[in-house]
Amino acid sequence: MAFNKVFHVKNEAELAKVAADIAPCLARGTVLVLEGDLGAGKTAFARALIRHISGDTEREVPSPTFTLVQTYDIPDGEIWHFDLYRLKHPEEVYELGWEDALASGTILMIEWAERISPLLPRFCVRVVIKPEADGTRTITVKA
Amino acid sequence: MLGIETSCDETAASVVTDDARILSNVIYSQLVQHAPHGGVVPEIAARAHLESVGRVVDEALKQAGVTWSDLSAVSATAGPGLIGGVMVGLMTGKAIAAHLDKPFLGINHLEGHALSPRLSHGVEFPYMLLLVSGGHTQILLVEDVGQYRLLGTTVDDAAGECFDKTAKLLSLPQPGGPHLEKLAGKCTDLASAIARFDLPRPLLGKKGCDFSFSGLKTAVREKLEALTTPDGTVKESDAVDLAAALQHAIAGHLSARLKKALESAPQKPKALVAAGGVAANGAVRAALEKLASEAGLPFMAPPSSLCTDNGAMIAWAGIEHFRRGRTDGMDVAARPRWPLDENRVKLST
């Protein structure tokens, strides 16, 4: 089933609203790929999702660029938030517990997934965030 | 004390004496740069640490002019960090200690950074520490060995990450921080550059001492888009002004939050200390020096060899604990997450 929905948001609060809207569609084991340039709002989107799913609006969700992966406990499992910006070779993702992550049926959110495109599962949810000239964002959700 | 550090990108080892003399401080990427046939700079892979750790430890002992039997104890980073890398250093340290029948200590990497000003400057407790690097932006009140009060941390990006990513947006080479500083240095009129771009002042007026850098990054991206000419380039004078305004904004944000931390600290620190790669930035340093002088505190920053990831700070943290009678068993485990203040309650300000 192809799913393709486009949202236009004016600010981070509206972006968080979109994240909350799609959160119920993310079953355990979903691989969510976040696409967009530096500063587009990928981490902001992931943060809003993690906060919504864990029911904690204040939850600290720092950028995973340095640590490469952060994990979050949620009521019925975990969310793994990857940022593969610093990866040089796809195979390096195995060092980050990639196989465990896939096998455990947790929700995976991945920024800069193109670094490991040969290793991605066939079925991913894609969220493409495109900044527009007027400062708004176009968010496309594809599944 | 032998200290081994493998929690991030660097494989490092060092020998430090209990009177704070650094006999050696070896980092693998520097070793291979000087090697005749070059070599592979270590990546995040644990395999890379595994291949280099033996050589780095050997070199640390050789440069220190000591033998295995001269060592009193062995320290290694036990976390936080990438689990594979941490395990390599931790197992190496344990194996050396077990073979020599010497005590072993598993050290928190962040604690290594936190105590490094005592190695370089003999700073007395308590002191206010700003830890600013590519991966960390934290304000800690360092009260004693093992007693760290986290006053503020970043809610999104680290300060160094902000430098690196905006440098990338400006098409500067990596590491972005130093290149961005160089570009900003060409600015002849900082006041008008600041006025021209009017970058956001993150969390201004918000309670607490937390940081936020993500908004600055996005603002820079938007300003750059507006500056881009039809042929896809940005005039250098524009890039210079933007870099200068950004650097000013980062320095201002760091010092504004640190000022709040100084005001709200439960006890008056004896010094203001900045550690981490970003502390090497001239504008950041100037802002912090000004803040310290206004608060009537001495300002210091460990040298860059102790600010980047290194073995000496791990050896030193080991010494600080060892002197207080702590040693660890061979069952100490690698910990990917290990907050410094896990036994403390975060101060609400």
Side-chain angles (χ1 to χ4, degrees):
Chain A
M1 183 185 74
F3 176 91
N4 194 334
K5 191 154 170 56
V6 180
F7 303 85
H8 297 282
V9 301
K10 289 200 272 295
N11 51 43
E12 195 170 339
E14 288 188 11
L15 181 129
K17 175 76 170 49
V18 174
D21 285 347
I22 71 158
C25 313
L26 302 181
R28 292 189 54 164
T30 302
V31 177
L32 180 100
V33 171
L34 290 154
E35 295 175 8
D37 288 337
L38 274 179
K42 298 183 295 298
T43 305
F45 193 88
R47 179 176 300 120
L49 262 179
I50 290 164
R51 284 178 174 173
H52 183 83
I53 293 170
S54 59
D56 178 354
T57 56
E58 297 286 303
R59 187 155 194 177
E60 278 187 23
V61 181
S63 161
T65 299
F66 181 73
T67 54
L68 300 159
V69 59
Q70 302 269 359
T71 59
Y72 300 89
D73 290 327
I74 55 171
D76 62 344
E78 277 184 320
I79 299 174
W80 290 46
H81 181 197
F82 286 91
D83 182 336
L84 307 178
Y85 184 68
R86 301 199 302 130
L87 248 56
K88 296 194 184 80
H89 306 291
E91 294 74 28
E92 289 176 331
V93 77
Y94 290 118
E95 302 277 348
L96 308 176
W98 177 247
E99 286 164 309
D100 292 341
L102 285 179
S104 61
T106 56
I107 299 174
L108 309 191
M109 298 181 189
I110 311 173
E111 300 183 37
W112 301 98
E114 54 267 42
R115 298 277 196 277
I116 58 159
S117 38
L119 303 176
L120 283 176
R122 267 179 72 195
F123 297 103
C124 298
V125 178
R126 289 182 192 274
V127 174
V128 183
I129 307 177
K130 186 170 177 294
E132 304 296 346
D134 59 359
T136 63
R137 303 281 191 276
T138 301
I139 304 174
T140 312
V141 181
K142 299 181 216 175
Chain B
M1 175 73 74
L2 171 67
I4 301 170
E5 155 64 37
T6 54
S7 66
C8 308
D9 301 357
E10 289 286 4
T11 315
S14 164
V15 178
V16 178
T17 65
D18 70 344
D19 56 351
R21 281 180 299 130
I22 300 169
L23 301 183
S24 63
N25 195 9
V26 177
I27 293 170
Y28 184 73
S29 61
Q30 290 170 0
L31 262 191
V32 293
Q33 272 169 18
H34 297 120
H37 301 293
V40 184
V41 173
E43 293 162 11
I44 61 158
R47 200 183 56 240
H49 283 300
L50 192 58
E51 284 167 5
S52 49
V53 70
R55 200 171 138 200
V56 169
V57 169
D58 280 345
E59 187 67 23
L61 264 74
K62 193 175 132 200
Q63 287 186 15
V66 299
T67 62
W68 295 109
S69 57
D70 294 327
L71 297 173
S72 309
V74 180
S75 300
T77 303
L82 292 174
I83 188 81
V86 171
M87 281 177 69
V88 168
L90 190 65
M91 294 307 291
T92 306
K94 283 181 186 174
I96 293 170
H99 180 71
L100 299 174
D101 198 20
K102 298 279 167 80
F104 175 76
L105 294 98
I107 299 298
N108 182 312
H109 173 84
L110 295 171
E111 183 171 35
H113 281 299
L115 295 174
S116 64
R118 289 169 55 77
L119 172 60
S120 61
H121 289 82
V123 182
E124 284 179 46
F125 299 119
Y127 54 92
M128 190 65 79
L129 175 76
L130 174 67
L131 180 56
V132 268
S133 64
H136 306 288
T137 306
Q138 300 191 342
I139 302 175
L140 292 162
L141 183 63
V142 183
E143 296 171 328
D144 201 344
V145 176
Q147 296 295 312
Y148 311 98
R149 202 183 279 269
L150 182 66
L151 298 179
T153 186
T154 181
V155 298
D156 42 55
D157 298 357
E161 184 180 346
C162 184
F163 269 112
D164 282 346
K165 288 190 171 171
T166 48
K168 175 109 183 162
L169 290 169
L170 285 159
S171 306
L172 297 172
Q174 298 290 317
H179 284 105
L180 193 130
E181 181 175 14
K182 208 170 143 196
L183 187 68
K186 293 181 184 165
C187 178
T188 50
D189 187 351
L190 180 61
S192 58
I194 294 164
R196 182 179 167 201
F197 291 111
D198 192 28
L199 292 170
R201 286 183 284 171
L203 307 176
L204 184 71
K206 288 258 178 75
K207 278 183 164 186
C209 315
D210 283 343
F211 299 94
S212 170
F213 289 97
S214 176
L216 275 174
K217 176 183 70 189
T218 301
V220 166
R221 197 186 53 70
E222 284 166 3
K223 308 277 180 203
L224 263 176
E225 255 164 40
L227 290 173
T228 305
T229 54
D231 64 355
T233 59
V234 174
K235 273 199 334 213
E236 192 187 9
S237 59
D238 289 337
V240 164
D241 279 1
L242 184 55
L246 171 74
Q247 189 172 261
H248 176 82
I250 293 175
H253 182 39
L254 289 171
S255 94
R257 305 310 277 180
L258 202 49
K259 183 165 190 275
K260 284 198 156 223
L262 287 171
E263 287 163 1
S264 62
Q267 50 176 321
K268 189 173 163 58
K270 293 189 177 134
L272 179 64
V273 182
V278 176
N281 178 280
V284 169
R285 190 177 275 241
L288 299 180
E289 277 171 354
K290 181 163 171 279
L291 175 66
S293 118
E294 284 165 5
L297 296 173
F299 173 79
M300 49 204 87
S304 61
S305 59
L306 293 180
C307 277
T308 50
D309 293 330
N310 65 90
M313 68 177 190
I314 301 304
W316 177 253
I319 288 168
E320 295 257 31
H321 279 287
F322 190 54
R323 285 205 290 229
R324 284 162 175 79
R326 180 189 136 192
T327 59
D328 294 328
M330 286 294 154
D331 56 348
V332 53
R335 297 179 57 181
R337 284 186 301 278
W338 187 0
L340 257 189
D341 64 333
E342 63 182 355
N343 298 320
R344 305 205 67 130
V345 180
K346 189 172 172 185
L347 199 68
S348 54
T349 45

